[in-house]
Amino acid sequence: MEQRAARSLLFFLLLVSPFAASAGILKLNSSSPLFGIEFPPFNTAVADTGCDGKLVVAADEAAAAAEEAQQKQPASLKLHMTHRAAADAAAAGRSRTDSFLDSARKDAGRIETMHRRASTRHRAVAGSSSSPRRALSERLVATVQSGVAVGSGEYLVDVYVGTPPRRFQMIMDTGSDLNWLQCAPCLACFEQRGPVFDPSASASYRNVTCGDARCGLVSSPAPGTSRSCRRPGADPCPYYYWYGDQSNTTGDLALESFTVNLTSASAGATRRVDDVVFGCGHWNRGLFHGAAGLLGLGRGPLSFASQLRAVYGHAFSYCLVDHGSDVASKIVFGDDPVLLAHPQLNYTSFATPSPSSSDTTFYYVKLKGVLVGGELLNISAETWDVAADGSGGTIVDSGTTLSYFAEPAYGAIRQAFVDRMDRSYPLVRDFPILGPCYNVSGVERPEVPELSLLFADGAVWDFPAENYFVRLDPDVMCLAVLGTPHSGMNIIGNYQQQNFHVLYDLQNNRLGFAPRRCAEV
Protein backbone atom coordinates (compact mmCIF):
# COMPACT_ATOMS: atom_id res chain seq x y z
CA MET A 1 0.00 0.00 0.00
CA GLU A 2 2.85 2.36 0.87
CA GLN A 3 4.48 1.63 -2.44
CA ARG A 4 1.30 2.48 -4.32
CA ALA A 5 0.94 5.68 -2.31
CA ALA A 6 4.49 6.63 -3.17
CA ARG A 7 3.85 6.01 -6.83
CA SER A 8 0.71 8.09 -6.80
CA LEU A 9 2.63 10.83 -5.05
CA LEU A 10 5.34 11.08 -7.62
CA PHE A 11 2.78 11.04 -10.35
CA PHE A 12 1.37 14.26 -9.08
CA LEU A 13 4.83 15.66 -8.84
CA LEU A 14 5.06 15.11 -12.53
CA LEU A 15 1.78 16.78 -13.20
CA VAL A 16 2.42 20.04 -11.46
CA SER A 17 6.15 20.36 -12.00
CA PRO A 18 7.12 23.67 -13.57
CA PHE A 19 8.76 21.55 -16.23
CA ALA A 20 5.57 19.64 -17.04
CA ALA A 21 5.91 20.62 -20.66
CA SER A 22 4.09 17.50 -21.66
CA ALA A 23 2.62 19.30 -24.62
CA GLY A 24 6.09 19.03 -26.08
CA ILE A 25 5.79 15.28 -26.37
CA LEU A 26 4.88 14.17 -29.86
CA LYS A 27 2.72 11.23 -30.82
CA LEU A 28 1.77 10.38 -34.37
CA ASN A 29 -1.93 10.90 -35.15
CA SER A 30 -2.46 12.33 -31.67
CA SER A 31 -5.10 14.89 -30.81
CA SER A 32 -6.12 16.65 -27.59
CA PRO A 33 -8.94 18.98 -26.27
CA LEU A 34 -11.10 19.75 -23.21
CA PHE A 35 -14.24 21.43 -21.69
CA GLY A 36 -15.06 23.26 -18.43
CA ILE A 37 -16.48 25.94 -16.05
CA GLU A 38 -15.83 29.37 -14.20
CA PHE A 39 -17.21 31.75 -11.49
CA PRO A 40 -16.85 35.18 -9.66
CA PRO A 41 -15.01 35.91 -6.36
CA PHE A 42 -15.88 34.02 -3.19
CA ASN A 43 -19.12 34.88 -1.43
CA THR A 44 -20.42 37.47 -3.88
CA ALA A 45 -24.17 37.57 -4.12
CA VAL A 46 -25.80 36.58 -7.42
CA ALA A 47 -28.16 39.13 -8.92
CA ASP A 48 -31.76 38.06 -9.23
CA THR A 49 -32.60 37.58 -12.89
CA GLY A 50 -36.29 37.33 -12.32
CA CYS A 51 -36.30 33.55 -11.96
CA ASP A 52 -38.89 32.40 -9.48
CA GLY A 53 -36.59 29.63 -8.27
CA LYS A 54 -38.95 26.87 -9.38
CA LEU A 55 -37.72 24.32 -11.85
CA VAL A 56 -41.19 23.14 -12.74
CA VAL A 57 -44.37 25.12 -12.15
CA ALA A 58 -47.62 23.28 -12.81
CA ALA A 59 -49.51 26.44 -13.68
CA ASP A 60 -47.07 27.23 -16.45
CA GLU A 61 -47.18 23.86 -18.17
CA ALA A 62 -49.09 25.11 -21.22
CA ALA A 63 -46.86 28.14 -21.69
CA ALA A 64 -43.78 26.03 -21.16
CA ALA A 65 -44.88 23.55 -23.80
CA ALA A 66 -45.35 26.36 -26.29
CA GLU A 67 -41.95 27.76 -25.45
CA GLU A 68 -40.33 24.38 -25.86
CA ALA A 69 -41.81 24.00 -29.31
CA GLN A 70 -39.97 27.14 -30.35
CA GLN A 71 -36.69 25.95 -28.93
CA LYS A 72 -34.46 23.83 -31.12
CA GLN A 73 -31.97 22.85 -28.46
CA PRO A 74 -32.56 20.46 -25.56
CA ALA A 75 -32.40 21.49 -21.94
CA SER A 76 -29.05 21.73 -20.26
CA LEU A 77 -27.35 23.49 -17.39
CA LYS A 78 -23.72 24.57 -17.35
CA LEU A 79 -21.34 25.01 -14.40
CA HIS A 80 -17.78 26.34 -14.32
CA MET A 81 -14.76 24.21 -13.34
CA THR A 82 -11.11 25.01 -12.64
CA HIS A 83 -7.99 23.07 -11.68
CA ARG A 84 -6.15 24.71 -8.81
CA ALA A 85 -2.84 26.23 -9.89
CA ALA A 86 0.53 25.36 -8.40
CA ALA A 87 1.13 29.04 -7.72
CA ASP A 88 -1.63 29.03 -5.12
CA ALA A 89 0.13 26.28 -3.20
CA ALA A 90 3.31 28.34 -3.17
CA ALA A 91 1.36 31.40 -2.03
CA ALA A 92 -0.04 29.37 0.83
CA GLY A 93 3.47 28.47 1.94
CA ARG A 94 3.26 24.84 0.82
CA SER A 95 6.07 23.38 -1.26
CA ARG A 96 5.31 21.45 -4.43
CA THR A 97 6.86 18.41 -2.81
CA ASP A 98 4.41 18.64 0.08
CA SER A 99 1.54 19.10 -2.35
CA PHE A 100 2.56 16.10 -4.41
CA LEU A 101 2.98 13.97 -1.32
CA ASP A 102 -0.49 14.85 -0.08
CA SER A 103 -1.99 14.19 -3.50
CA ALA A 104 -0.29 10.84 -3.75
CA ARG A 105 -1.53 9.76 -0.36
CA LYS A 106 -5.04 10.75 -1.27
CA ASP A 107 -4.93 8.91 -4.61
CA ALA A 108 -3.77 5.73 -2.92
CA GLY A 109 -6.31 6.01 -0.11
CA ARG A 110 -9.08 6.74 -2.57
CA ILE A 111 -8.31 3.64 -4.63
CA GLU A 112 -8.27 1.47 -1.53
CA THR A 113 -11.63 2.89 -0.46
CA MET A 114 -13.21 2.37 -3.87
CA HIS A 115 -11.94 -1.21 -3.91
CA ARG A 116 -13.50 -1.86 -0.50
CA ARG A 117 -16.78 -0.28 -1.53
CA ALA A 118 -17.04 -2.29 -4.73
CA SER A 119 -15.98 -5.60 -3.20
CA THR A 120 -18.35 -5.33 -0.22
CA ARG A 121 -21.28 -4.61 -2.53
CA HIS A 122 -22.74 -1.60 -0.82
CA ARG A 123 -26.48 -1.68 -1.15
CA ALA A 124 -27.95 0.24 -4.06
CA VAL A 125 -30.87 2.53 -3.33
CA ALA A 126 -33.44 3.26 -5.99
CA GLY A 127 -33.41 6.89 -7.06
CA SER A 128 -36.17 9.18 -8.18
CA SER A 129 -38.15 8.66 -11.34
CA SER A 130 -35.94 7.78 -14.26
CA SER A 131 -38.11 9.80 -16.66
CA PRO A 132 -37.56 13.56 -16.97
CA ARG A 133 -40.64 15.63 -16.13
CA ARG A 134 -40.10 18.14 -18.89
CA ALA A 135 -37.10 19.59 -20.65
CA LEU A 136 -36.16 23.23 -20.18
CA SER A 137 -34.93 25.30 -23.08
CA GLU A 138 -31.57 26.06 -21.49
CA ARG A 139 -28.49 24.09 -20.54
CA LEU A 140 -27.15 24.31 -17.01
CA VAL A 141 -23.46 25.18 -17.07
CA ALA A 142 -20.84 25.48 -14.31
CA THR A 143 -17.19 26.45 -14.17
CA VAL A 144 -14.45 23.94 -13.48
CA GLN A 145 -10.91 24.72 -12.34
CA SER A 146 -7.76 22.66 -12.17
CA GLY A 147 -7.08 21.72 -8.55
CA VAL A 148 -3.30 21.67 -8.56
CA ALA A 149 -3.32 25.01 -6.78
CA VAL A 150 -3.81 23.56 -3.37
CA GLY A 151 -1.79 20.47 -4.12
CA SER A 152 -4.71 18.45 -5.44
CA GLY A 153 -5.22 16.57 -8.67
CA GLU A 154 -8.95 17.14 -8.62
CA TYR A 155 -11.09 19.65 -10.43
CA LEU A 156 -13.15 22.30 -8.64
CA VAL A 157 -16.69 23.35 -9.51
CA ASP A 158 -18.00 26.81 -8.63
CA VAL A 159 -21.47 26.61 -7.10
CA TYR A 160 -23.65 29.29 -5.49
CA VAL A 161 -25.52 28.01 -2.44
CA GLY A 162 -28.26 29.48 -0.24
CA THR A 163 -30.39 32.63 -0.21
CA PRO A 164 -28.76 34.99 -0.85
CA PRO A 165 -26.44 32.83 -2.99
CA ARG A 166 -22.82 32.54 -1.87
CA ARG A 167 -20.01 31.13 -3.99
CA PHE A 168 -18.22 27.93 -2.94
CA GLN A 169 -15.65 25.78 -4.74
CA MET A 170 -16.49 22.09 -4.51
CA ILE A 171 -14.46 19.10 -5.71
CA MET A 172 -16.08 17.45 -8.73
CA ASP A 173 -16.23 13.69 -8.13
CA THR A 174 -17.85 11.07 -10.37
CA GLY A 175 -16.78 8.40 -7.86
CA SER A 176 -19.13 9.44 -5.04
CA ASP A 177 -22.75 10.51 -4.58
CA LEU A 178 -23.21 12.84 -1.62
CA ASN A 179 -22.98 16.62 -2.15
CA TRP A 180 -21.72 18.34 0.99
CA LEU A 181 -20.25 21.54 2.33
CA GLN A 182 -18.39 22.39 5.52
CA CYS A 183 -20.95 24.11 7.74
CA ALA A 184 -21.03 26.41 10.71
CA PRO A 185 -20.71 25.63 13.49
CA CYS A 186 -17.62 23.79 12.26
CA LEU A 187 -16.75 21.55 15.20
CA ALA A 188 -13.85 19.75 13.51
CA CYS A 189 -13.06 20.92 10.01
CA PHE A 190 -10.14 21.12 7.60
CA GLU A 191 -8.84 24.46 6.37
CA GLN A 192 -10.69 25.83 3.36
CA ARG A 193 -10.31 28.91 1.22
CA GLY A 194 -13.02 31.40 2.15
CA PRO A 195 -15.66 31.12 4.89
CA VAL A 196 -17.66 27.95 5.50
CA PHE A 197 -21.36 27.76 4.69
CA ASP A 198 -23.54 29.24 7.45
CA PRO A 199 -27.06 27.75 7.48
CA SER A 200 -28.33 30.55 9.75
CA ALA A 201 -27.48 33.11 7.06
CA SER A 202 -29.60 31.42 4.38
CA ALA A 203 -33.37 31.89 4.16
CA SER A 204 -33.80 28.72 2.08
CA TYR A 205 -31.95 26.22 4.31
CA ARG A 206 -33.89 23.48 6.07
CA ASN A 207 -32.99 20.12 7.54
CA VAL A 208 -34.13 16.78 6.18
CA THR A 209 -35.95 15.10 9.07
CA CYS A 210 -35.15 11.62 10.28
CA GLY A 211 -38.59 10.45 9.17
CA ASP A 212 -38.00 11.57 5.56
CA ALA A 213 -37.42 8.68 3.12
CA ARG A 214 -34.27 10.44 1.88
CA CYS A 215 -32.72 9.98 5.32
CA GLY A 216 -32.53 6.27 4.54
CA LEU A 217 -30.13 6.99 1.67
CA VAL A 218 -27.25 7.92 4.00
CA SER A 219 -25.36 6.03 6.68
CA SER A 220 -25.83 6.86 10.35
CA PRO A 221 -22.85 8.36 12.24
CA ALA A 222 -23.01 5.21 14.39
CA PRO A 223 -22.64 2.34 11.89
CA GLY A 224 -24.17 -0.94 12.97
CA THR A 225 -26.76 0.69 15.21
CA SER A 226 -30.33 1.68 14.46
CA ARG A 227 -30.90 5.37 13.80
CA SER A 228 -32.62 7.17 16.67
CA CYS A 229 -35.73 9.01 15.44
CA ARG A 230 -38.04 10.01 18.29
CA ARG A 231 -39.81 12.76 16.34
CA PRO A 232 -39.88 11.70 12.66
CA GLY A 233 -41.27 15.02 11.47
CA ALA A 234 -38.95 17.25 13.49
CA ASP A 235 -35.64 15.59 14.43
CA PRO A 236 -32.74 16.08 11.97
CA CYS A 237 -31.14 13.34 9.89
CA PRO A 238 -27.46 12.92 10.88
CA TYR A 239 -25.21 11.33 8.27
CA TYR A 240 -21.72 9.86 7.94
CA TYR A 241 -19.94 9.49 4.59
CA TRP A 242 -16.42 8.09 4.22
CA TYR A 243 -13.88 8.21 1.37
CA GLY A 244 -10.75 6.67 2.87
CA ASP A 245 -8.91 6.08 6.11
CA GLN A 246 -8.43 9.81 6.66
CA SER A 247 -11.32 11.31 4.71
CA ASN A 248 -14.92 11.56 5.87
CA THR A 249 -17.73 13.99 6.60
CA THR A 250 -20.37 13.95 9.35
CA GLY A 251 -23.27 16.34 9.80
CA ASP A 252 -26.93 16.87 9.03
CA LEU A 253 -28.66 16.01 5.76
CA ALA A 254 -30.37 19.16 4.51
CA LEU A 255 -32.14 20.90 1.61
CA GLU A 256 -30.85 24.07 0.01
CA SER A 257 -31.05 26.19 -3.15
CA PHE A 258 -28.16 25.99 -5.65
CA THR A 259 -27.87 28.83 -8.19
CA VAL A 260 -26.13 28.20 -11.51
CA ASN A 261 -25.51 29.82 -14.89
CA LEU A 262 -27.64 29.01 -17.92
CA THR A 263 -26.82 28.86 -21.61
CA SER A 264 -29.88 30.47 -23.13
CA ALA A 265 -30.87 33.41 -25.25
CA SER A 266 -30.50 35.67 -22.21
CA ALA A 267 -26.82 36.33 -21.63
CA GLY A 268 -25.78 36.01 -18.00
CA ALA A 269 -29.02 34.31 -16.97
CA THR A 270 -29.07 32.18 -13.84
CA ARG A 271 -31.47 29.60 -12.45
CA ARG A 272 -32.04 28.65 -8.85
CA VAL A 273 -32.43 24.92 -8.24
CA ASP A 274 -34.49 24.49 -5.09
CA ASP A 275 -34.43 21.68 -2.54
CA VAL A 276 -31.12 20.11 -3.51
CA VAL A 277 -30.26 17.42 -0.95
CA PHE A 278 -26.78 17.95 0.50
CA GLY A 279 -24.76 17.27 3.61
CA CYS A 280 -24.12 20.12 6.02
CA GLY A 281 -20.87 18.85 7.49
CA HIS A 282 -19.90 19.87 11.01
CA TRP A 283 -17.13 17.25 11.42
CA ASN A 284 -14.95 16.82 8.34
CA ARG A 285 -11.45 15.55 7.82
CA GLY A 286 -9.22 14.43 4.99
CA LEU A 287 -7.12 15.68 2.10
CA PHE A 288 -9.64 18.05 0.55
CA HIS A 289 -7.01 20.78 0.09
CA GLY A 290 -8.88 24.02 0.71
CA ALA A 291 -12.10 23.13 -1.13
CA ALA A 292 -15.42 23.95 0.54
CA GLY A 293 -16.81 20.47 0.03
CA LEU A 294 -17.62 17.95 -2.64
CA LEU A 295 -20.10 17.78 -5.54
CA GLY A 296 -21.00 14.14 -6.08
CA LEU A 297 -21.66 13.10 -9.68
CA GLY A 298 -21.94 9.34 -9.19
CA ARG A 299 -24.87 7.15 -10.26
CA GLY A 300 -26.59 7.12 -6.85
CA PRO A 301 -29.86 9.00 -6.16
CA LEU A 302 -28.24 11.68 -3.96
CA SER A 303 -25.67 12.85 -6.50
CA PHE A 304 -26.05 16.30 -8.04
CA ALA A 305 -26.31 14.73 -11.49
CA SER A 306 -29.11 12.40 -10.37
CA GLN A 307 -31.06 15.16 -8.62
CA LEU A 308 -31.00 17.34 -11.76
CA ARG A 309 -31.88 14.48 -14.08
CA ALA A 310 -35.66 14.92 -13.82
CA VAL A 311 -35.36 18.47 -15.14
CA TYR A 312 -32.33 18.55 -17.43
CA GLY A 313 -32.42 15.00 -18.74
CA HIS A 314 -30.22 11.97 -18.45
CA ALA A 315 -26.90 13.42 -19.61
CA PHE A 316 -24.05 15.51 -18.30
CA SER A 317 -20.60 16.19 -19.70
CA TYR A 318 -17.36 17.88 -18.76
CA CYS A 319 -14.12 18.89 -20.39
CA LEU A 320 -11.11 19.03 -18.06
CA VAL A 321 -8.47 21.71 -18.50
CA ASP A 322 -4.78 20.85 -18.28
CA HIS A 323 -3.34 20.16 -14.83
CA GLY A 324 -1.89 23.40 -13.54
CA SER A 325 -4.01 25.54 -15.84
CA ASP A 326 -5.72 28.64 -14.45
CA VAL A 327 -8.16 28.73 -17.36
CA ALA A 328 -11.77 27.85 -16.58
CA SER A 329 -13.74 25.24 -18.46
CA LYS A 330 -17.27 23.89 -18.05
CA ILE A 331 -19.44 21.02 -16.95
CA VAL A 332 -22.85 20.81 -18.65
CA PHE A 333 -26.02 19.18 -17.33
CA GLY A 334 -28.23 18.34 -20.29
CA ASP A 335 -27.42 17.80 -23.96
CA ASP A 336 -24.70 19.88 -25.57
CA PRO A 337 -25.44 20.27 -29.32
CA VAL A 338 -21.84 21.18 -30.13
CA LEU A 339 -20.54 18.00 -28.52
CA LEU A 340 -23.24 15.83 -30.08
CA ALA A 341 -22.26 17.16 -33.51
CA HIS A 342 -18.53 16.59 -32.94
CA PRO A 343 -17.16 14.48 -35.82
CA GLN A 344 -14.84 12.57 -33.48
CA LEU A 345 -17.38 11.80 -30.77
CA ASN A 346 -17.08 8.11 -29.92
CA TYR A 347 -19.18 5.97 -27.57
CA THR A 348 -18.73 2.87 -25.44
CA SER A 349 -21.45 1.24 -23.34
CA PHE A 350 -21.47 1.42 -19.57
CA ALA A 351 -21.02 -2.00 -17.99
CA THR A 352 -22.88 -3.58 -15.08
CA PRO A 353 -20.36 -4.59 -12.39
CA SER A 354 -22.29 -7.71 -11.38
CA PRO A 355 -25.86 -9.08 -11.60
CA SER A 356 -26.41 -8.34 -7.92
CA SER A 357 -25.43 -4.65 -8.12
CA SER A 358 -27.11 -3.04 -11.11
CA ASP A 359 -27.29 0.39 -9.46
CA THR A 360 -23.89 1.54 -8.20
CA THR A 361 -22.01 4.75 -7.61
CA PHE A 362 -19.25 4.04 -10.10
CA TYR A 363 -19.33 4.36 -13.87
CA TYR A 364 -18.06 1.00 -15.12
CA VAL A 365 -16.92 0.39 -18.70
CA LYS A 366 -15.84 -2.91 -20.25
CA LEU A 367 -12.25 -3.00 -21.49
CA LYS A 368 -11.07 -5.61 -23.94
CA GLY A 369 -7.44 -4.63 -24.26
CA VAL A 370 -4.72 -1.99 -24.49
CA LEU A 371 -2.83 -1.01 -27.64
CA VAL A 372 0.69 0.42 -27.55
CA GLY A 373 2.13 1.59 -30.82
CA GLY A 374 -0.98 0.28 -32.55
CA GLU A 375 -0.39 -3.30 -31.35
CA LEU A 376 -2.84 -5.11 -29.06
CA LEU A 377 -0.97 -6.34 -25.99
CA ASN A 378 -1.20 -9.93 -24.78
CA ILE A 379 -3.30 -9.47 -21.64
CA SER A 380 -5.67 -12.17 -20.43
CA ALA A 381 -9.39 -11.33 -20.74
CA GLU A 382 -10.03 -12.09 -17.07
CA THR A 383 -7.86 -9.10 -16.13
CA TRP A 384 -10.73 -6.81 -17.12
CA ASP A 385 -13.54 -8.80 -15.47
CA VAL A 386 -15.40 -7.98 -12.28
CA ALA A 387 -14.90 -10.75 -9.70
CA ALA A 388 -17.73 -12.48 -7.87
CA ASP A 389 -17.05 -10.33 -4.79
CA GLY A 390 -17.42 -7.13 -6.83
CA SER A 391 -13.70 -6.33 -7.06
CA GLY A 392 -11.93 -5.57 -10.32
CA GLY A 393 -13.48 -4.10 -13.44
CA THR A 394 -12.78 -0.70 -14.98
CA ILE A 395 -14.26 2.65 -13.98
CA VAL A 396 -14.02 6.22 -15.29
CA ASP A 397 -13.27 8.54 -12.37
CA SER A 398 -12.77 12.31 -12.23
CA GLY A 399 -11.50 12.20 -8.64
CA THR A 400 -8.48 9.92 -9.22
CA THR A 401 -5.54 11.67 -10.83
CA LEU A 402 -3.62 9.00 -12.72
CA SER A 403 -4.84 5.98 -14.59
CA TYR A 404 -4.26 2.62 -12.90
CA PHE A 405 -4.18 -0.87 -14.36
CA ALA A 406 -4.28 -4.13 -12.45
CA GLU A 407 -1.55 -6.70 -12.87
CA PRO A 408 -0.67 -8.26 -15.22
CA ALA A 409 -1.99 -5.45 -17.47
CA TYR A 410 0.23 -2.77 -15.95
CA GLY A 411 3.38 -4.87 -16.34
CA ALA A 412 2.52 -5.55 -19.99
CA ILE A 413 1.89 -1.86 -20.71
CA ARG A 414 5.11 -0.79 -19.04
CA GLN A 415 7.18 -3.39 -20.88
CA ALA A 416 5.56 -2.49 -24.21
CA PHE A 417 6.81 1.07 -23.93
CA VAL A 418 10.29 -0.13 -22.95
CA ASP A 419 10.39 -2.37 -26.03
CA ARG A 420 9.01 0.21 -28.47
CA MET A 421 10.60 3.46 -27.33
CA ASP A 422 13.11 5.14 -29.63
CA ARG A 423 16.58 3.91 -28.59
CA SER A 424 17.92 7.44 -28.98
CA TYR A 425 16.26 8.23 -25.64
CA PRO A 426 18.39 6.59 -22.93
CA LEU A 427 16.41 4.74 -20.27
CA VAL A 428 16.71 6.38 -16.86
CA ARG A 429 16.95 3.44 -14.48
CA ASP A 430 15.84 3.36 -10.84
CA PHE A 431 13.91 6.59 -11.16
CA PRO A 432 11.58 6.75 -8.11
CA ILE A 433 7.93 5.84 -8.47
CA LEU A 434 7.15 6.33 -12.14
CA GLY A 435 8.58 4.35 -14.99
CA PRO A 436 9.79 3.77 -17.53
CA CYS A 437 11.56 7.14 -17.64
CA TYR A 438 13.78 8.51 -20.40
CA ASN A 439 16.49 11.10 -20.84
CA VAL A 440 15.18 13.51 -23.48
CA SER A 441 17.74 16.26 -22.92
CA GLY A 442 17.78 18.67 -25.85
CA VAL A 443 14.69 17.13 -27.47
CA GLU A 444 11.84 19.64 -27.70
CA ARG A 445 9.16 17.20 -28.87
CA PRO A 446 10.15 13.60 -28.19
CA GLU A 447 8.25 10.93 -30.11
CA VAL A 448 6.56 8.16 -28.12
CA PRO A 449 4.46 5.13 -29.09
CA GLU A 450 0.70 5.63 -29.22
CA LEU A 451 -1.50 4.48 -26.33
CA SER A 452 -5.12 3.42 -26.91
CA LEU A 453 -7.83 1.62 -24.95
CA LEU A 454 -9.95 -0.97 -26.76
CA PHE A 455 -13.44 -1.55 -25.35
CA ALA A 456 -15.46 -4.75 -25.58
CA ASP A 457 -17.96 -3.15 -27.97
CA GLY A 458 -15.21 -2.16 -30.41
CA ALA A 459 -14.82 1.50 -29.40
CA VAL A 460 -11.25 2.82 -29.18
CA TRP A 461 -10.03 5.73 -27.05
CA ASP A 462 -6.80 7.19 -28.49
CA PHE A 463 -4.86 9.42 -26.13
CA PRO A 464 -2.50 12.27 -27.07
CA ALA A 465 1.04 11.76 -25.77
CA GLU A 466 0.70 14.51 -23.16
CA ASN A 467 -2.04 12.50 -21.46
CA TYR A 468 0.20 9.54 -20.63
CA PHE A 469 3.78 10.89 -20.60
CA VAL A 470 4.88 13.69 -18.30
CA ARG A 471 8.10 15.66 -18.20
CA LEU A 472 9.51 15.80 -14.68
CA ASP A 473 12.28 18.22 -15.54
CA PRO A 474 13.82 19.45 -18.82
CA ASP A 475 15.75 16.20 -19.22
CA VAL A 476 13.45 13.42 -17.96
CA MET A 477 10.02 12.24 -19.04
CA CYS A 478 8.10 9.29 -17.57
CA LEU A 479 5.08 7.15 -18.30
CA ALA A 480 2.22 8.56 -16.18
CA VAL A 481 0.42 5.27 -15.59
CA LEU A 482 0.64 3.13 -12.45
CA GLY A 483 -0.39 -0.33 -11.31
CA THR A 484 -2.77 -1.90 -8.80
CA PRO A 485 -2.79 -5.47 -7.44
CA HIS A 486 -4.19 -8.32 -9.53
CA SER A 487 -7.66 -8.00 -8.01
CA GLY A 488 -7.65 -4.22 -8.06
CA MET A 489 -9.76 -1.85 -10.12
CA ASN A 490 -8.64 -0.42 -13.42
CA ILE A 491 -9.22 3.34 -13.30
CA ILE A 492 -9.24 5.88 -16.11
CA GLY A 493 -8.24 8.96 -14.12
CA ASN A 494 -8.56 12.66 -14.81
CA TYR A 495 -5.02 13.10 -16.14
CA GLN A 496 -5.83 10.84 -19.07
CA GLN A 497 -9.14 12.68 -19.58
CA GLN A 498 -7.53 16.10 -20.06
CA ASN A 499 -8.68 17.91 -23.20
CA PHE A 500 -11.45 15.43 -23.90
CA HIS A 501 -15.11 16.31 -23.70
CA VAL A 502 -16.48 13.36 -21.75
CA LEU A 503 -20.22 12.63 -21.96
CA TYR A 504 -22.19 10.53 -19.45
CA ASP A 505 -25.28 9.55 -21.44
CA LEU A 506 -27.41 7.67 -18.92
CA GLN A 507 -30.47 7.60 -21.16
CA ASN A 508 -28.60 5.38 -23.62
CA ASN A 509 -26.30 3.84 -20.99
CA ARG A 510 -23.07 4.91 -22.68
CA LEU A 511 -19.93 6.99 -22.23
CA GLY A 512 -18.96 9.44 -24.96
CA PHE A 513 -15.56 11.05 -25.53
CA ALA A 514 -14.28 13.52 -28.11
CA PRO A 515 -11.01 15.46 -28.33
CA ARG A 516 -11.56 19.15 -27.62
CA ARG A 517 -9.55 22.12 -26.39
CA CYS A 518 -11.41 22.70 -23.16
CA ALA A 519 -9.74 26.01 -22.34
CA GLU A 520 -11.22 27.44 -25.54
CA VAL A 521 -14.79 26.29 -24.92
Side-chain angles (χ1 to χ4, degrees):
M1 188 65 190
E2 293 180 356
Q3 183 178 8
R4 279 188 296 170
R7 288 190 171 184
S8 296
L9 170 142
L10 179 56
F11 159 71
F12 229 112
L13 182 155
L14 308 180
L15 301 183
V16 192
S17 171
F19 300 104
S22 301
I25 301 173
L26 181 65
K27 177 178 78 72
L28 297 179
N29 300 323
S30 66
S31 59
S32 172
L34 205 86
F35 190 90
I37 347 184
E38 171 180 38
F39 271 16
F42 285 101
N43 292 328
T44 54
V46 179
D48 186 358
T49 59
C51 177
D52 61 4
K54 303 295 184 181
L55 291 179
V56 178
V57 182
D60 294 336
E61 285 296 327
E67 179 184 351
E68 290 168 19
Q70 298 176 2
Q71 297 291 339
K72 295 183 179 180
Q73 298 187 5
S76 63
L77 177 148
K78 185 182 294 183
L79 304 175
H80 291 210
M81 296 189 296
T82 50
H83 196 278
R84 292 169 279 185
D88 292 340
R94 303 175 68 242
S95 70
R96 283 193 173 89
T97 300
D98 291 339
S99 298
F100 301 153
L101 182 59
D102 289 345
S103 298
R105 287 171 179 158
K106 179 166 185 182
D107 227 12
R110 177 183 179 84
I111 293 172
E112 179 65 21
T113 299
M114 290 192 296
H115 174 75
R116 291 204 310 271
R117 280 184 172 177
S119 61
T120 54
R121 291 183 182 175
H122 275 47
R123 65 183 180 89
V125 184
S128 57
S129 171
S130 60
S131 300
R133 293 197 293 269
R134 69 177 171 91
L136 298 177
S137 60
E138 312 95 350
R139 292 188 306 257
L140 184 58
V141 183
T143 329
V144 180
Q145 286 183 334
S146 168
V148 178
V150 210
S152 168
E154 297 128 338
Y155 288 80
L156 302 177
V157 180
D158 285 346
V159 179
Y160 291 96
V161 182
T163 305
R166 301 291 178 180
R167 176 189 182 248
F168 297 93
Q169 283 197 317
M170 305 173 73
I171 295 172
M172 181 189 78
D173 186 12
T174 58
S176 63
D177 295 323
L178 183 67
N179 314 299
W180 61 270
L181 287 169
Q182 294 204 113
C183 285
C186 231
L187 304 178
C189 293
F190 53 84
E191 182 179 353
Q192 78 173 55
R193 300 193 299 174
V196 299
F197 177 71
D198 184 357
S200 66
S202 172
S204 51
Y205 176 90
R206 57 194 177 94
N207 281 326
V208 170
T209 62
C210 60
D212 191 308
R214 289 169 292 193
C215 188
L217 301 179
V218 293
S219 297
S220 167
T225 63
S226 60
R227 187 189 301 272
S228 174
C229 187
R230 295 181 180 179
R231 298 179 299 166
D235 289 347
C237 172
Y239 75 87
Y240 172 72
Y241 201 93
W242 56 277
Y243 299 90
D245 294 338
Q246 296 181 337
S247 300
N248 56 68
T249 174
T250 303
D252 295 317
L253 200 63
L255 301 173
E256 187 53 284
S257 297
F258 282 46
T259 302
V260 292
N261 287 347
L262 292 172
T263 53
S264 65
S266 302
T270 64
R271 181 174 295 280
R272 195 177 78 181
V273 184
D274 285 338
D275 294 337
V276 174
V277 181
F278 82 112
C280 195
H282 301 295
W283 296 268
N284 316 290
R285 66 173 184 172
L287 301 175
F288 296 106
H289 295 297
L294 189 142
L295 193 72
L297 297 177
R299 303 191 75 155
L302 287 180
S303 79
F304 193 65
S306 295
Q307 292 189 59
L308 293 183
R309 195 175 302 163
V311 177
Y312 290 99
H314 294 253
F316 72 92
S317 60
Y318 57 71
C319 197
L320 303 180
V321 296
D322 300 324
H323 277 248
S325 172
D326 58 358
V327 177
S329 53
K330 298 174 180 66
I331 179 172
V332 178
F333 294 90
D335 290 330
D336 186 317
V338 176
L339 172 60
L340 296 178
H342 197 294
Q344 293 179 270
L345 177 61
N346 203 352
Y347 292 101
T348 186
S349 299
F350 285 122
T352 301
S354 70
S356 61
S357 56
S358 59
D359 186 12
T360 73
T361 294
F362 305 128
Y363 293 96
Y364 283 87
V365 290
K366 178 62 175 176
L367 275 182
K368 183 179 181 179
V370 177
L371 295 90
V372 174
E375 181 179 346
L376 184 64
L377 304 185
N378 183 19
I379 301 171
S380 62
E382 66 179 16
T383 304
W384 315 116
D385 294 339
V386 178
D389 67 352
S391 63
T394 303
I395 66 170
V396 180
D397 183 32
S398 69
T400 301
T401 304
L402 293 177
S403 286
Y404 292 80
F405 293 94
E407 293 293 358
Y410 171 65
I413 294 169
R414 178 187 173 110
Q415 189 59 46
F417 278 100
V418 171
D419 295 340
R420 291 164 177 78
M421 187 64 72
D422 190 326
R423 294 295 184 263
S424 64
Y425 308 145
L427 187 65
V428 178
R429 299 188 181 279
D430 300 324
F431 197 88
I433 311 203
L434 293 180
C437 297
Y438 298 91
N439 187 328
V440 290
S441 177
V443 182
E444 182 178 353
R445 292 178 59 82
E447 295 185 3
V448 302
E450 296 178 345
L451 174 66
S452 305
L453 299 182
L454 172 64
F455 297 93
D457 53 13
V460 178
W461 195 341
D462 297 317
F463 297 99
E466 57 267 29
N467 283 31
Y468 57 92
F469 264 94
V470 60
R471 212 151 177 167
L472 301 181
D473 61 40
D475 298 332
V476 178
M477 71 173 186
C478 296
L479 179 66
V481 173
L482 292 174
T484 61
H486 180 75
S487 61
M489 275 183 172
N490 303 286
I491 302 171
I492 303 173
N494 65 49
Y495 191 67
Q496 274 62 50
Q497 297 178 51
Q498 293 176 111
N499 286 316
F500 277 93
H501 197 159
V502 181
L503 169 65
Y504 293 76
D505 181 358
L506 302 180
Q507 180 70 47
N508 297 299
N509 196 40
R510 60 185 181 175
L511 177 80
F513 45 91
R516 199 168 180 187
R517 297 206 171 276
C518 302
E520 298 175 3
V521 174

